[in-house]
Amino acid sequence: MSHYPEAYFIKSANAVSQFVTDTGAEIAVAGRSNAGKSSAINIIVNRRQFARTSKTPGRTQLVNFFSLKDGERLVDLPGYGFARVSDKKRHHWRDLIADYFESRQSLKGLFLIVDIRRQIMEFDQQMLAFAELVSLPTHVLLTKADKLKRGQAAKALLEVRRDLGDIATVQQFSALTRLGEDEARSKLDEFLRLSAAP
Ligand SMILES: Nc1nc2c(ncn2[C@@H]2O[C@H](COP(=O)(O)OP(=O)(O)OP(=O)(O)O)[C@@H](O)[C@H]2O)c(=O)[nH]1
Ligand SMILES: [Mg+2]
């Protein structure tokens, strides 16, 4: 069963003017292209191809808004760092993501999706620095943990935890084995609940 039985796709936006009304609470899912953002959303919501995934990097090209339940949303962002697109398109995505982060009052938390084999890269650092600047609660999913041996994955987790300190919480995740799904869901609910506190 879905943990969010009423979840549905609201719309895709290619410009600030197309974003959904900025009320309630939403959590953004960001990360490098092909890191596994859309796959993570599908596991958390427990529905196949709820957010569209692809073997080809650059699948998610728009800001996709999903309703979890009344007044609570998840936002699947285009991946950054994808090389095989034109400069024009890349700049458009970069601006779209920047506009998103700068404009959303309802943004209450960030899920940063990082391939556990690649660890934190420059774009991720920028995203983390921004989140810290605006005091946005951040949780890092080190995904594709199934691609590493257990010991290696545990080591990667410790390293990222050590590097990030208090900036963000970190966990292992796998969309393939569903490792860490409950932990991710609790974090998501925690971020949404935090925002509901008076
Ligand atoms: N083995 C394994 N593969 C994964 C995992 N998560 C995602 N993938 C694969 O990685 C590829 C990219 O996944 P997506 O979820 O589309 O990645 P994305 O970050 O949304 O990509 P863009 O929308 O292009 O930025 C797909 O082929 C997925 O099947 C995982 O935990 N384990
Ligand atoms: Mg995607």
Side-chain angles (χ1 to χ4, degrees):
M1 206 197 78
S2 172
H3 289 263
Y4 304 95
E6 298 156 34
Y8 66 94
F9 168 70
I10 309 173
K11 71 184 294 197
S12 299
N14 199 24
V16 177
S17 61
Q18 297 166 359
F19 290 173
V20 308
T21 311
D22 197 6
T23 54
E26 69 191 23
I27 307 300
V29 181
R32 282 182 68 84
S33 184
N34 210 42
K37 297 175 294 298
S38 301
S39 301
I41 290 176
N42 291 335
I43 293 298
I44 290 169
V45 178
N46 202 15
R47 285 209 223 152
R48 257 173 230 218
Q49 290 297 81
F50 182 64
R52 289 179 68 187
T53 64
S54 166
K55 282 195 174 57
T56 320
R59 165 77 254 178
T60 309
Q61 305 204 350
L62 302 165
V63 176
N64 292 302
F65 292 90
F66 298 92
S67 171
L68 290 174
K69 54 182 159 183
D70 209 18
E72 295 184 359
R73 292 178 301 277
L74 259 187
V75 183
D76 190 11
L77 295 171
Y80 40 77
F82 175 46
R84 267 169 289 161
V85 289
S86 66
D87 278 356
K88 197 173 163 211
K89 204 163 194 181
R90 196 170 31 236
H91 290 153
H92 172 68
W93 288 355
R94 191 194 58 200
D95 293 347
L96 188 63
I97 294 172
D99 286 347
Y100 171 79
F101 280 104
E102 279 159 24
S103 70
R104 299 300 280 179
Q105 296 299 319
S106 54
L107 179 63
K108 303 301 180 192
L110 172 67
F111 266 40
L112 185 65
I113 313 300
V114 175
D115 186 323
I116 196 166
R117 298 166 298 176
R118 298 201 161 76
Q119 300 231 346
I120 305 278
M121 301 179 79
E122 195 188 335
F123 284 106
D124 303 314
Q125 291 287 10
Q126 289 172 12
M127 198 62 90
L128 286 163
F130 174 80
E132 199 187 10
L133 192 72
V134 300
S135 304
L136 188 66
T138 302
H139 185 59
V140 177
L141 296 190
L142 292 179
T143 195
K144 308 197 186 185
D146 57 276
K147 300 258 193 193
L148 291 184
K149 292 206 176 88
R150 227 182 246 216
Q152 289 175 306
K155 186 163 166 263
L157 175 66
L158 286 178
E159 280 171 14
V160 174
R161 267 204 187 128
R162 190 195 56 211
D163 289 351
L164 296 186
D166 293 337
I167 297 177
T169 48
V170 191
Q171 69 159 104
Q172 288 185 38
F173 189 84
S174 167
L176 196 76
T177 65
R178 309 188 74 107
L179 173 76
E181 64 170 323
D182 291 337
E183 192 178 348
R185 231 177 262 123
S186 316
K187 215 18 139 178
L188 178 65
D189 289 339
E190 181 192 314
F191 283 177
L192 289 165
R193 258 202 321 274
L194 274 178
S195 74

